[in-house]
Amino acid sequence: MRGFIVNNAYSRLNTALNQSQRLKYEFEKLGVETDVVTSAGIISSIDDKGIPSVGKYSEKYDFCVYLDKDKYASRLLEKCGIRLFNTAEAIETCDDKMLTHIILSEHGVNMPFTVPGLLCYTPETPLNLSYLNRVEHAIGQYPIIIKECYGSLGKQVYKADNREQLLKIANCVKCKPHLFQKCVNSTIGRDVRVIAVGGNPVAAMMRKSETDFRSNIELGGTAEIYEINGEIVQLCKTVEKTLKLDYFGIDLLFAPEGFSVCEINSNAFFGGIEKVTGVNVAKAYAQHICESIKIE
Ligand SMILES: Nc1ncnc2c1ncn2[C@@H]1O[C@H](COP(=O)(O)OP(=O)(O)O)[C@@H](O)[C@H]1O
Ligand SMILES: [Mg+2]
């Protein structure tokens, strides 16, 4: 068995680069060879007869750990017969926060009240105030959370405490896919990040920020180990079944009635949670991949 691990060619984040090395090391211990490559090393194409190709990759390898989010290259790799972890479809769904909410909504998962944003095609067009009034009315309270649908590390998540802030933020994001969400006040600055492998939660940590409503570590949050309970186990099972994810991170907000699912991250970094919890996430993922390949 031989696999390759794909990193985004533009990423300079140490967390991302270390992640592939951690996985390679754990595969080695299981007797499986892997090559770490960047997305720039793969030339995927569709020829003039409509035949997809991915160079040498389809012949040489049995699986790919796809740590990038490129929806085109990932699909072409699959079309050429390579089993991707996660699958291209799962990565594409999770990359889009609104699409994730829509798909999860069919499965009785608690999530914050969410309204899709209206997409504007030209920055000079004024904000559609009648739609924004409807959003304000539907959510019914401030603060309102605004998220770009494609965002990570908390950087594209905003909070409007009043209408003036809402107008300003909505105007900034109107040309990008975005959503509006009820702010879960009971969670402000706190959430639980869980990592699940094969639908089973393997590690969980509570993240806290004293200075920001977002608890992301990258924005100054701190983390401590969190005990996995039955509610978390059940949520992870539902998410795995619905989105067909081999591996994911899930952010859970503390809502009055229990956990509320904030987002699913198909490409969640595991370096931080390994340090906080002492759980060997890379090993669990490598084992899951080897078992899946043998069965499939
Ligand atoms: N509806 C909400 N109410 C309160 N806090 C929220 C809400 N949505 C997100 N947050 C906070 O913002 C953080 C970042 O949001 P998230 O959707 O996970 O974006 P990212 O993908 O950038 O991590 C969450 O971890 C949480 O602390
Ligand atoms: Mg998050």
Side-chain angles (χ1 to χ4, degrees), residues 97 147 151-154 157 191 193 207 215-216 218 249-252 262-265:
K97 288 181 164 64
K147 298 184 188 182
S152 50
L153 312 180
V157 176
D191 74 354
R193 159 56 63 94
R207 304 184 295 187
S215 49
N216 303 68
E218 295 78 7
I250 178 169
D251 293 348
L252 301 171
C262 174
E263 69 150 345
I264 315 294
N265 193 333

Side-chain angles (χ1 to χ4, degrees), residues 4 13 43-44 46 58 64 115 122 127 155 163 179 194 203 206 230 235 244 253-254 271 291:
F4 63 112
L13 283 175
I43 288 284
S44 57
I46 305 168
S58 51
C64 166
V115 182
T122 43
L127 205 56
K155 284 188 264 182
R163 185 175 168 88
L179 60 83
V194 182
M206 177 156 71
L235 271 171
K244 314 268 185 314
L253 306 176
F254 291 98
E291 280 157 24

Side-chain angles (χ1 to χ4, degrees), residues 69 90-91 93-102 104 109-112 114 145 147-157 179 181 184 191-196 207 214-219 235-236 239 243 245 247-254 259-269:
K69 293 186 181 179
I91 293 172
T93 304
C94 293
D95 200 23
D96 180 339
K97 288 181 164 64
M98 192 65 224
L99 190 57
T100 310
H101 275 278
I102 291 169
L104 280 180
V109 174
N110 285 344
M111 295 179 285
T114 302
I145 303 291
K147 298 184 188 182
E148 294 179 29
C149 292
Y150 300 94
S152 50
L153 312 180
K155 284 188 264 182
Q156 288 82 14
V157 176
L179 60 83
Q181 200 162 74
V184 180
D191 74 354
V192 175
R193 159 56 63 94
V194 182
I195 295 286
R207 304 184 295 187
R214 299 160 296 181
S215 49
N216 303 68
I217 308 290
E218 295 78 7
L219 297 175
L235 271 171
C236 288
V239 166
L243 300 172
L245 287 154
Y247 168 93
F248 61 92
I250 178 169
D251 293 348
L252 301 171
L253 306 176
F254 291 98
F259 285 127
S260 178
V261 174
C262 174
E263 69 150 345
I264 315 294
N265 193 333
S266 64
N267 295 46
F269 293 138

Side-chain angles (χ1 to χ4, degrees), residues 16 27 40 45 57 107 112 116 134 155 162 170 175 236 238 251 257 265:
F27 274 117
S45 60
Y57 286 94
H107 298 269
R134 288 200 177 94
K155 284 188 264 182
N162 50 48
C175 292
C236 288
T238 307
D251 293 348
E257 65 283 3
N265 193 333

